[in-house]
C-alpha cells in the first residue's frame, strides 16, 4: 500500500527461541546431575562407606561439586533460559547476536564440565562457592561478558519504551555477579591448576562472605525475582499486584543486599560493630523480601482454584511461599543470639535448601512448565505427572528441612550444654553430638532422594511434551514500531535524552551501589592494620606445613571442619582460647569454614600425638568410634610433591607472607627434614620410614601446627586474668 | 439466579434479554460491542477480563458519537491537536475505561488496520495516544473506539500547563530521591556508630554522614525552606516554618559538633524527617496533577467551518468557507443540519428545529422560522437555514459564558484552613517555650544548655502529623477515588464534599437520559408497520426520528423498503408512497398535553391521511435516579432540581422522584442557576450541559457527570468517570471518612507536640531522644494512614457495586 | 585517615548517580505511568498485521 512510503515503517521481527530451548534442556540435564550428586553426598554423611574408598567422590570433594552444580549449572542455565525468553518479549526485540548466544551456551556448558572434572580431581581454591581454579574463573568471566553484551545489545534494540521491572533485576544480576566473581576470585597462580587467594585471614573472610552472601543474593534471588515478576503475571494472565511496589522492592533489595555479608561471620574475629552492621542489614532485608513475596502472592488472589488445577501456578505459588519462608528464616538466623545456636549446624544447611529447592527449583519448574509448551507450541504432556512431581518434591523438601532443623538444634544445644554445677561440658566428646544426629542424616538423604525423583518425573514429563510436539514449527512473526521512530520527534521538542542511555545508566547505578557496599566492607579489611592486632608470635607456615595445608584444602576438609573458635564459654571449654584475627593473617585463603560436621580444628595442633592423626586418617573409627569421617587411604599411597614448594613460597612472599629468601631456596630440604622428624616419631609406633614422602606426613605437620602460635600464651593470659 | 450478560457480566433484567449466537446480552450496546470484539478476533478480551476477577463491572454505554470529533481530520482541528510523534499523533483523554482489559482491548486495536501505527494507553492518567499513517484519517479509528463504549476528548497539543506541571513533578521526585539515598547512607553510618564503631571509625563515619547531609540540606529541603521563608515574609504561618527551623538549627548544631569533634549529631533523624516531608509533598502533588490533563481538554464545540454567503452584484449569491473565529457581526452564514450555532443571530430564511438542551436544558426541540432569534450553542436539527449573525464567536452568549467560566476564580476553602490555625497555635507555644527556656537558662546561667534544649524543642515540635499526615491522606484519597471512577480535581474538594447539605441536579441529561425515547404506542402495532415507520423515518435527521429508528432496529433487523417520492416536509414530517398507499409520519396535532402522556411529544402514522397509530416520545429518567434521591435522604442531604426546562415538565419529574417542591426551580438561565447556587450554603451542583457550567463553577462542589460537554467537565470540581449517579453518594461518604481520619491525626499530633515541647522545655528530653521520637511519630502517622487506605478498599468497591445496581 | 579519601568520594558519587538516574529516568517518563506497563507485558507483541485489513 502506497501510504507506507511516507510513514515510519512498522518493523517485523521474530524471537530467537532456539537458544532458549537449548538452555531449557541444559537446565533439566544439570539439575538432575546436581541433585544426584547432592543425594550421594547426603548418603555419604549418613554412612561413611558410601564413597567406596574412592578419593574423588569423598564428601570433601563432592560437596563443592554439588553446590557449584546446583548454583551455576542448574540455576545458571535456568536463569539464562528464562532471561532470554522474557527479555526478548519484554523488549519486543530478537536476541542481539546469534553467535554470542552460541558462545554463551556452549561456553557455559564447557565450564560446567571442566568444573566437574577439576573439582572431583581435587583442584580447588578452598573458597566456598568459588572453588574453581583460576583458568576456569577467567573462562567464566569471558562467557559472562558475552552474556552481558548479548543482553544489553537486545535491550538497546528494544521496541518498548518502558523497561519492565524484571529487566532491572536481570541488569542487577549481570553487573553484580561479574563484580563479585572478579573481586572474590582474585588470586595469584602457582601453576596451571593451583593458586593462592590474594586475600588472607579476616580480609579473605570478609570478601569471601560478602561474595558468598551475594552469590545467593544476586545469583539465586534477583534473577529469580525477575523471573517471578515476568512469569507469574504471564502464567495467570493478570498484571502484577502492585507494579509500584515491585520497583521499590528492586531498589531497596539492590541497596541492602550488598551490606548483608558479615552476618555469616557473627562471633568471629571481625570487629564487633561490623558484625552488628551486617546483622542490622540482614534484618532490614526482611522488609523488601516480603514486599516481593506479598506482591507475588497477591497477584494470585482470587485465582487459587487455578493454582490448584495448573502445575505452572502451583509451582510458582509454592516457590514464592518458600521464598517468603527462607527470607524470614534468614534474618532470624542473623540475629546474634539465634546465630549463636544455629551457626556451624545443619539448621543453616536446611535453611539454604529451603531456598534453593523451594524457591529456585520450584520456580524453575513453574517457568519450564509455562515456557516449554509455548516454545514447542504444544500442550503439557501430563498434568497428573506435574502434580505427582509437585507432591514428591514438596514432601521430600519438607523432610529435608525438618530433619536438618532438628539435627541443627539438637547438635547446637549439645555443643553448648554445660553442667551448671561442675561447669564442664555435658558432651565433651564431639562425636557424641554427631552420632546423635545420624538418624536425621538418613531422613535427609531420603528427603533428598524424593526431590531428585520429582525432578526426574519433570524431565520425563517435559521430554514427552517435546516429543509429542508438531514436527514443523513455523516461526511467529511480530510487528512493532521502532523506538527511534517513536522518539526522534518527541525528543526534538521536549529535549529528552535518548532512551537508549537508560539501561546503561541503571547498570552504572547498580555497579555503584555495589561499589559502595564493597567499599564499606572491603576497605576496612584492607585497612586491616587498623584493627587486626599484628602479633609477632604468629609465624608463617613451614614449607612442609604449607604443603600439608594444600592437601587439607584439596581434600575439602573445610567442608566439615571449621577453624574459628567463637568467644563463647562452651567453645572456650571445648576448643580453647577464642581465635584471633591475628592468627590467620598468613592464611591464603582463610579456612574458617562454615559448618562443623567434625570438630573445630583451630587449636588441634599438639592436642594429639602424631600417631593419633596417622591412625585417624587411615581409619577414623580406629581412634574415635562412631566417627562418620571417611578413611583417607590414598594419603598413605600417594607421594607428596615437594619440588613445587619454592614456587609456592615465592607466591606467598609476593602476597606479603614474610618468607626469607634462603627459606625459599631450601624449601624442599627444609620440608624433607621436618618430614624426617615426624616420621621418626611415628616409627616408634612401627610406621615404616618410607612413609616419610607420602602425603599424610605434610598433613600431620600442618594439623600439628594449627593454633600453636598463640594458643598457649592466650591461655596463660586468661588464667592470669582469672586470678586477678 | 439471574442470567448474566455475556459482555458486561451484569444480571439481565427480565424482559430485555437479547439472544444472539447462543450468547445473551442485557442491552444492545453490549451486543454490538460483543459482536465487534468477536469479529475482530479479540475474544481473548473476555478471558483477561475474567482472569482479573474485577469486583466492579460496567454496563457498556452506547455513546452517541461526539459531533466535535467529526472534524478531527480537518486542518483547523489538527492545528490544535496534532502532537509530535510517528505519523500523525493525537492524545485523548478517554473515559469509560474501567479495567486493564480495556487497556488490552484498546492497544490491540492497532492490529486491525495498517493505517494505525500505534495506540498507547496510559491507564494512570486515563489517556490514549493514537498515531496513524500520515496519509490515513483518524475518524475510522475513533469511531471504532467510541463504538466500544469509550468517550474521547482530544487534548490540545499546546498544553504548556501540563508540561510545566510534569516538570515540577519530576523535579520534586528527584529531590525525594536525593533525600532517600542520602538519608539511607546516613542511616548506615549511624547504625555502625550506634553499634559501637571505635573512635577512629566513629569520626570517619560521622564525617561521612555529614557529607551525605549536604545535598539533603541544600537540594532536597529547599522547597520547605523556601516556603517557610515566603510565608514568613507574608506574615503567614505554615507548617514548613517549624520544619525549616529545626532543619536549620539541627544542621548547624550537628556540623558545629562535627567540627568540634564532640557532641551529638542529628543528621540521621533530620535526614529521615526531610525525606518523609518531601515524600508526602510529592505524593500530594502527583495526585493533584493527575487531574491536570483535564484542563487541557478543548471545549470549543461544533464543526470548524461554515459557509458564509455573500450577496454580490455580478454573479449573485456566492458561498465561501469561513471558520468560527472569522465570523463577524452582520455576516450571513448557512447552518447545515447537525451544525451547532457558533454565534447569536436571527434566522434570515428557511425553517427548522433547534435543540437548545445544551444551553437551556429545554428537553424538546423548538421550531424556528425566519426572524426567530437563535443563541449560540443551540444545534440545528432538521434542515439548512440562513442565519444573520448579531455577534461574533467571542461576544456571543456562549462565548461570554465560556469566557466567564475560564475567568471566574474559585477561592479554595482550603483544608489547611483547619490545620493552619492549629499549627499557628502550636507555633506560638513553641516560640513561647523557646523564649521561656532561653531566658530561664540565661538567668540560671547555664547558657551552654540553650542550644541543645532549643533544638530538642524545635525537633519535637515538628508537626509531622500535620505536615506529613494531611497531604498524605489527601493524596491517597484522590488516588483511591480515581480508582472508584471519581475524578477529583484538587484535594480541597474533599472538604467541600464532606460538608455538603444540599445537592441540586440539572434535569436533562443528568437525572434523565437527555434524549427523546419511544415511551408509548397507541393504536395498531405490528412488524410490518414498524418496518414502514423505520424506513420512513430513516431519511430524517430529527432526533426523535433517529432515536425511534434506533429503538426499532434494536429488536430485530429491519428489511429495506423503497418508497416512491420519499420526502421530508419541513416541520410536518416524512411521507412516501408504496404502490398506491401514501404513508406519512407527522407531528401530532392534538392538545398540548398529550392526554395521559404529559410532556411527551407525539407523532402519528397515517395511511392515506387516516391515523393508524400515535407514538409518544419523552425524555426518561435514568434508572438509578429514584434510589439516588432516597439514598441522599439517608445522608441528611436534601436534593433539588435546577432546570432551564418548562415548569410543567420539571414538576412532573420532581413528583415522580418524590422531591420536596422547596428546591425545584425551572425556566432558569445559566446565570440564574449560578446565582441560586451561590446563595445556597454548602450546596453541590450536578450537571452536564453548558447551561450548568457556570453553576458548577460557582457551587461549593461542582459535579460533572459522564458524557458531559467538555465545558462542564472543565468547570466541575469532580468528574464522574462512569455514568452512575451513585458515585456521588460514594464520594460524600468517602470524603467524610477521610476528614475524620485527618482530624484524628491532627489531634494525635497536637497531643504529641505540646506534650513533647513542654517536656523538652524543662530539659526532660534531650535532642537525641527528640531526634529519635520525631521520625517515630511521623512513621506512626504514615502507618496509620496507609492502614486506612489499604484496608477498606475492597469493602468500598464492593459497596459501590451493590449500591449502584441495587434495584 | 587515607581511607576517607576513598570512601567519601565513592559514596558521594553513587548518591549523585542515583539522583541522576532518577532525574533521567523520570524525565524519560519511566516512572510516569506505573500501572499500564504491568499490563502491557502480558501481550507478547502484536502479530503481523494481515494485509486484507487495508483498503
Amino acid at each position: 500500500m502506497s501510504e507506507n512510503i511516507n510513514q515510519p515503517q512498522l518493523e517485523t521481527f521474530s524471537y530467537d527461541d532456539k537458544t532458549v530451548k537449548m538452555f531449557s534442556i541444559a537446565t533439566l540435564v544439570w539439575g538432575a546431575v546436581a541433585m544426584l550428586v547432592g543425594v550421594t553426598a547426603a548418603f555419604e554423611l549418613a554412612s561413611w562407606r558410601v564413597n567406596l574408598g574412592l578419593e574423588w567422590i569423598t564428601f570433601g570433594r563432592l560437596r563443592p561439586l554439588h553446590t557449584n552444580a546446583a548454583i551455576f549449572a542448574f540455576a545458571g542455565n535456568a536463569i539464562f533460559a528464562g532471561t532470554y525468553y522474557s527479555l526478548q518479549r519484554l523488549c519486543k526485540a530478537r536476541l542481539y547476536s546469534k553467535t554470542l548466544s552460541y558462545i554463551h551456551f556452549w561456553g557455559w556448558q564447557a565450564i560446567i564440565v571442566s568444573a566437574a572434572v577439576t573439582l572431583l580431581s581435587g583442584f580447588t581454591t578452598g573458597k566456598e562457592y568459588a572453588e574453581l581454579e583460576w583458568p576456569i574463573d577467567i573462562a567464566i568471566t569471558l562467557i559472562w561478558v558475552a552474556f552481558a553484551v548479548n543482553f544489553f545489545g537486545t535491550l538497546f534494540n528494544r521496541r518498548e519504551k518502558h523497561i519492565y521491572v524484571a529487566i532491572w533485576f536481570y541488569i542487577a544480576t549481570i553487573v553484580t555477579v561479574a563484580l563479585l566473581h572478579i573481586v572474590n576470585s582474585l588470586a595469584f597462580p602457582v601453576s596451571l591448576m593451583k593458586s593462592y587467594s590474594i586475600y588472607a585471614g579476616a580480609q579473605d573472610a570478609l570478601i569471601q562472605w560478602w561474595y558468598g552472601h551475594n552469590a545467593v543474593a544476586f545469583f539465586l534471588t534477583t534473577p529469580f525475582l525477575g523471573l517471578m515478576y515476568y512469569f507469574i503475571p504471564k502464567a495467570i494472565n493478570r498484571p502484577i499486584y502492585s507494579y509500584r511496589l515491585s520497583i521499590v522492592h528492586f531498589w531497596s533489595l539492590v541497596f541492602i543486599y550488598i551490606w548483608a555479608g558479615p552476618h555469616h561471620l557473627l562471633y568471629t574475629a571481625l570487629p564487633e560493630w561490623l558484625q552488628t552492621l551486617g546483622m542490622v542489614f540482614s534484618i532490614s532485608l526482611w522488609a523488601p523480601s516480603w514486599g516481593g513475596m506479598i506482591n507475588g502472592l497477591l497477584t494470585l488472589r482470587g485465582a487459587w482454584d487455578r493454582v490448584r488445577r495448573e502445575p505452572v501456578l502451583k509451582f510458582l505459588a509454592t516457590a514464592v511461599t518458600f521464598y517468603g519462608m527462607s527470607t524470614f528464616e534468614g534474618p532470624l538466623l542473623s540475629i546474634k543470639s539465634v546465630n549463636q545456636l544455629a551457626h556451624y549446624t545443619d539448621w543453616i544447611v536446611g535453611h539454604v535448601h529451603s531456598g534453593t529447592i523451594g524457591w529456585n527449583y520450584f520456580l524453575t519448574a513453574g517457568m519450564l512448565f509455562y515456557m516449554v509448551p509455548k516454545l514447542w507450541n504444544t500442550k503439557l504432556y501430563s498434568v497428573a505427572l506435574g502434580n505427582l512431581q509437585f507432591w514428591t518434591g514438596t514432601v521430600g523438601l519438607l523432610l529435608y528441612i525438618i530433619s536438618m532443623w532438628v539435627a541443627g538444634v539438637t547438635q547446637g544445644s549439645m555443643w553448648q550444654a554445660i553442667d551448671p554445677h561442675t561447669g564442664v561440658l555435658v558432651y565433651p566428646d564431639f562425636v557424641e553430638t554427631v552420632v546423635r544426629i545420624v538418624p536425621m542424616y538418613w531422613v535427609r538423604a531420603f528427603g533428598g532422594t524424593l526431590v531428585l525423583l520429582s525432578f526426574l518425573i519433570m524431565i520425563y514429563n517435559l521430554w514427552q511434551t517435546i516429543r509429542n510436539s508438531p514436527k514443523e514449527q513455523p516461526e511467529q512473526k511480530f510487528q512493532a514500531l521502532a523506538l527511534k521512530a517513536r522518539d526522534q520527534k518527541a525528543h526534538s521538542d521536549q529535549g529528552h535524552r535518548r532512551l537508549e542511555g537508560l539501561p546503561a545508566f541503571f547498570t552504572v547505578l547498580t555497579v555503584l551501589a555495589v561499589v559502595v557496599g564493597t567499599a564499606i566492607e572491603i576497605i576496612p579489611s584492607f585497612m586491616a592494620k587498623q584493627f587486626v592486632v599484628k602479633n609477632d608470635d604468629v609465624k608463617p607456615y613451614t614449607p612442609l606445613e604449607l604443603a600439608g595445608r594444600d592437601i587439607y584444602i584439596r581434600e575439602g576438609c573445610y567442608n566439615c571442619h571449621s577453624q574459628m573458635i567463637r568467644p563463647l564459654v562452651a567453645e572456650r571449654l571445648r576448643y580453647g582460647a577464642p581465635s584471633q584475627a591475628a592468627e590467620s593473617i598468613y592464611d591464603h585463603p582463610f579456612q574458617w569454614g562454615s559448618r562443623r560436621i567434625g570438630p573445630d580444628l583451630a587449636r588441634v595442633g599438639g592436642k594429639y600425638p602424631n600417631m593419633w592423626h596417622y591412625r585417624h586418617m587411615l581409619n577414623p573409627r580406629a581412634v574415635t568410634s562412631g566417627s562418620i569421617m571417611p578413611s583417607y587411604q590414598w594419603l598413605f599411597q600417594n607421594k607428596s610433591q615437594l619440588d613445587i614448594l619454592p614456587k609456592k613460597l615465592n607466591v606467598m612472599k609476593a602476597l606479603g607472607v614474610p618468607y626469607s629468601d634462603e627459606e625459599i631456596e631450601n624449601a624442599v630440604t627444609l620440608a624433607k627434614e621436618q618430614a624426617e622428624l615426624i616420621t621418626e616419631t611415628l616409627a616408634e609406633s612401627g610406621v615404616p620410614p618410607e612413609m616419610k614422602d607420602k602425603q599424610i606426613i605434610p598433613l600431620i605437620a600442618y594439623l600439628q601446627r594449627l593454633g600453636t602460635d598463640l594458643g598457649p600464651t592466650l591461655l596463660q593470659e586468661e588464667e592470669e586474668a582469672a586470678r586477678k | 439466579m439471574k442470567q448474566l450478560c455475556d459482555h458486561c457480566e451484569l444480571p439481565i433484567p427480565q424482559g430485555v434479554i437479547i439472544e444472539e449466537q447462543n450468547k445473551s446480552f442485557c442491552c444492545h450496546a453490549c451486543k454490538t460491542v460483543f459482536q465487534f470484539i468477536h469479529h475482530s478476533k479479540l475474544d481473548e478480551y473476555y478471558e483477561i477480563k475474567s482472569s482479573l476477577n474485577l469486583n466492579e463491572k460496567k454496563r457498556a454505554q452506547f455513546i452517541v458519537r461526539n459531533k466535535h470529533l467529526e472534524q478531527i481530520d480537518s486542518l483547523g482541528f489538527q492545528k490544535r491537536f496534532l502532537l509530535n510523534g510517528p505519523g500523525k499523533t493525537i492524545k485523548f483523554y478517554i473515559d469509560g475505561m474501567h479495567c486493564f482489559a480495556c487497556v488490552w482491548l484498546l492497544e490491540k486495536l492497532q492490529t486491525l488496520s495498517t493505517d494505525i501505527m500505534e495506540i498507547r494507553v496510559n491507564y494512570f492518567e486515563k489517556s490514549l495516544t493514537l498515531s496513524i499513517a500520515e496519509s490515513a484519517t483518524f475518524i475510522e479509528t475513533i469511531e471504532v473506539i467510541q463504538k466500544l463504549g469509550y468517550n474521547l476528548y482530544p487534548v490540545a497539543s499546546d498544553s504548556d500547563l501540563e508540561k510545566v506541571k510534569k516538570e515540577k513533578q519530576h523535579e520534586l521526585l528527584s529531590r525525594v530521591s536525593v533525600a532517600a539515598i542520602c538519608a539511607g547512607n546516613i542511616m548506615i553510618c549511624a547504625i555502625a556508630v550506634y553499634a559501637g564503631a571505635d573512635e577512629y571509625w566513629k569520626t570517619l563515619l560521622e564525617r561521612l554522614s555529614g557529607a551525605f547531609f549536604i545535598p539533603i540540606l541544600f537540594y532536597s529541603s529547599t522547597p520547605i525552606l523556601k516556603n517557610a521563608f515566603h510565608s514568613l515574609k507574608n506574615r503567614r504561618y505554615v507548617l514548613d516554618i517549624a520544619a525549616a527551623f529545626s532543619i536549620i538549627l539541627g544542621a548547624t548544631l550537628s556540623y558545629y559538633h562535627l567540627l568540634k569533634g564532640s557532641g551529638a549529631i542529628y543528621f540521621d533523624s533530620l535526614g529521615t524527617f526531610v525525606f518523609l516531608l518531601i515524600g508526602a509533598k510529592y505524593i500530594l502533588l502527583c495526585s493533584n496533577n493527575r487531574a491536570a490533563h483535564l484542563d487541557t481538554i478543548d471545549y470549543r464545540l461544533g464543526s470548524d467551518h461554515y459557509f458564509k454567503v455573500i450577496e454580490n452584484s455580478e454573479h449573485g449569491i456566492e458561498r465561501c468557507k469561513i471558520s468560527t473565529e472569522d465570523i463577524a457581526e452582520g455576516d450571513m452564514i448557512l447552518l447545515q443540519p447537525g451544525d451547532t450555532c457558533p454565534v447569536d443571530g436571527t434566522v434570515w430564511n428557511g425553517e427548522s428545529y433547534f435543540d437548545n438542551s445544551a444551553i437551556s436544558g429545554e428537553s424538546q426541540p423548538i421550531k424556528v422560522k425566519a426572524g426567530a432569534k437563535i443563541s449560540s450553542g443551540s444545534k440545528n436539527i432538521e434542515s439548512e437555514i440562513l442565519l444573520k449573525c448579531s455577534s461574533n464567536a467571542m461576544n456571543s452568549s456562549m462565548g461570554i459564558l465560556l469566557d466567564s467560566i475560564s475567568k471566574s476564580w474559585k477561592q479554595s476553602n482550603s483544608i489547611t484552613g483547619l490545620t493552619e490555625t492549629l499549627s499557628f497555635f502550636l507555633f506560638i507555644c513553641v516560640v513561647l517555650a523557646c523564649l521561656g527556656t532561653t531566658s530561664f537558662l540565661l538567668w540560671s546561667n547555664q547558657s551552654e544548655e540553650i542550644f541543645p534544649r532549643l533544638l530538642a524543642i524545635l525537633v519535637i515540635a515538628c508537626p509531622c502529623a500535620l505536615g506529613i499526615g494531611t497531604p498524605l491522606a489527601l493524596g491517597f484519597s484522590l488516588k483511591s477515588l480515581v480508582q472508584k471512577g471519581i475524578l477529583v480535581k484538587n484535594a480541597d474538594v474533599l472538604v467541600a464534599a464532606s460538608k455538603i447539605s444540599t445537592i441540586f441536579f440539572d434535569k436533562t441529561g443528568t437525572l434523565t437520559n437527555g434524549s427523546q425515547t419511544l415511551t408509548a404506542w397507541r393504536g395498531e402495532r405490528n412488524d410490518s408497520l414498524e418496518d414502514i415507520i423505520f424506513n420512513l423515518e430513516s431519511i430524517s435527521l430529527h432526533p426523535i426520528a433517529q432515536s425511534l429508528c434506533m429503538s426499532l432496529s434494536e429488536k430485530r433487523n429491519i428489511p429495506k423498503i423503497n418508497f416512491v417520492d420519499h420526502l421530508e416536509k419541513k416541520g410536518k414530517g416524512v411521507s412516501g408512497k408504496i404502490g398506491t398507499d401514501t404513508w406519512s409520519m407527522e407531528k401530532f396535532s392534538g392538545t398540548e398535553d398529550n392526554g395521559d402522556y404529559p410532556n411527551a411529544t407525539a407523532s402519528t402514522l397515517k395511511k392515506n391521511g387516516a391515523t393508524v397509530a400515535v407514538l409518544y416520545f419523552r425524555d426518561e429518567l435514568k434508572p438509578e435516579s429514584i434510589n439516588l434521591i432516597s439514598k441522599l435522604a439517608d445522608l441528611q442531604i436534601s436534593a433539588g432540581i435546577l432546570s432551564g426546562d418548562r415548569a410543567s415538565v420539571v414538576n412532573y419529574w420532581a413528583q415522580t422522584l418524590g422531591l420536596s417542591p422547596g428546591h425545584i426551580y425551572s425556566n432558569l438561565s445559566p446565570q440564574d442557576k449560578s446565582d441560586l447556587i451561590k446563595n445556597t450554603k454548602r450546596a453541590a451542583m450536578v450537571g452536564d450541559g453548558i447551561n450548568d457550567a457556570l453553576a458548577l463553577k460557582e457551587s461549593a462542589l461542582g459535579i460533572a457527570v459522564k458524557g458531559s460537554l467538555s465545558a462542564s467537565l472543565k468547570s466541575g470540581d469532580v468528574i464522574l468517570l462512569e455514568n452512575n449517579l451513585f458515585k456521588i453518594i460514594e464520594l460524600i461518604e468517602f470524603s467524610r471518612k477521610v476528614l475524620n481520619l485527618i482530624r484524628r491525626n491532627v489531634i494525635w499530633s497536637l497531643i504529641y507536640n505540646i506534650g513533647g515541647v513542654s517536656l523538652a522545655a524543662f530539659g526532660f528530653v534531650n535532642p537525641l531522644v527528640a531526634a529519635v521520637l520525631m521520625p517515630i511519630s511521623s512513621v506512626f502517622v504514615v502507618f496509620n494512614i496507609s492502614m486506612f487506605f489499604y484496608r477498606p478498599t475492597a469493602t468500598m468497591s464492593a459497596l459501590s457495586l451493590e449500591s449502584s445496581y441495587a434495584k | 585517615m587515607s581511607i576517607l579519601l576513598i570512601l567519601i568520594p565513592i559514596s558521594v558519587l553513587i548518591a549523585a548517580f542515583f539522583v541522576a538516574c532518577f532525574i533521567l529516568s523520570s524525565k524519560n517518563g519511566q516512572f510516569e505511568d506505573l500501572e499500564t506497563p504491568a499490563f502491557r507485558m502480558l501481550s507478547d507483541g502484536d502479530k503481523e498485521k494481515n494485509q486484507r485489513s487495508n483498503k
Side-chain angles (χ1 to χ4, degrees), chain A residues 459-511:
Chain A
I459 293 180
Y460 175 75
N461 199 353
L462 290 178
W463 176 64
Q464 285 298 338
T465 312
I466 295 170
R467 233 187 38 148
N468 300 338
S469 65
K471 284 295 143 283
E472 77 292 335
Q473 307 255 1
E475 202 175 41
Q476 177 65 57
K477 293 242 177 299
F478 296 95
Q479 273 189 329
L481 205 56
L483 202 52
K484 295 172 200 62
R486 192 186 300 124
D487 292 332
Q488 271 147 4
K489 288 182 173 179
H491 286 311
S492 65
D493 75 320
Q494 290 154 18
H496 278 179
R497 293 254 219 90
R498 294 199 61 66
L499 280 167
E500 280 69 7
L502 207 53
F505 214 84
F506 282 119
T507 321
V508 178
L509 291 171
T510 331
V511 179

Side-chain angles (χ1 to χ4, degrees), chain C residues 16-34:
Chain C
F17 265 96
F18 262 101
V19 175
C21 141
F22 268 85
I23 294 168
L24 182 64
S25 46
S26 67
K27 266 229 174 72
N28 280 320
Q30 284 284 339
F31 301 134
E32 242 160 51
D33 177 6
L34 292 183

Side-chain angles (χ1 to χ4, degrees), chain B residues 101 121 265 372 406 565 689 787:
Chain B
V121 173
I265 59 169
S406 45
D565 49 40
M787 281 324 288

Side-chain angles (χ1 to χ4, degrees), chain B residues 452-518:
Chain B
R453 210 173 274 194
L454 286 188
L455 182 68
I457 294 175
L458 282 169
V459 167
I460 225 167
C462 279
C464 304
L466 300 171
I468 299 170
T470 315
L472 210 58
L474 294 175
F476 279 152
S477 40
L478 293 196
K479 190 155 162 290
S480 47
L481 278 172
V482 174
Q483 284 158 356
K484 294 185 174 62
I486 304 170
L487 199 126
V488 176
K489 282 196 185 165
N490 66 55
D492 299 335
V493 172
L494 282 173
V495 191
S498 66
K499 296 201 188 116
I500 288 306
S501 66
T502 322
I503 296 188
F504 284 110
F505 292 89
D506 165 52
K507 181 179 70 64
T508 320
T510 305
L511 288 172
T512 68
N513 295 321
S515 64
Q516 301 282 316
T517 49
L518 178 64

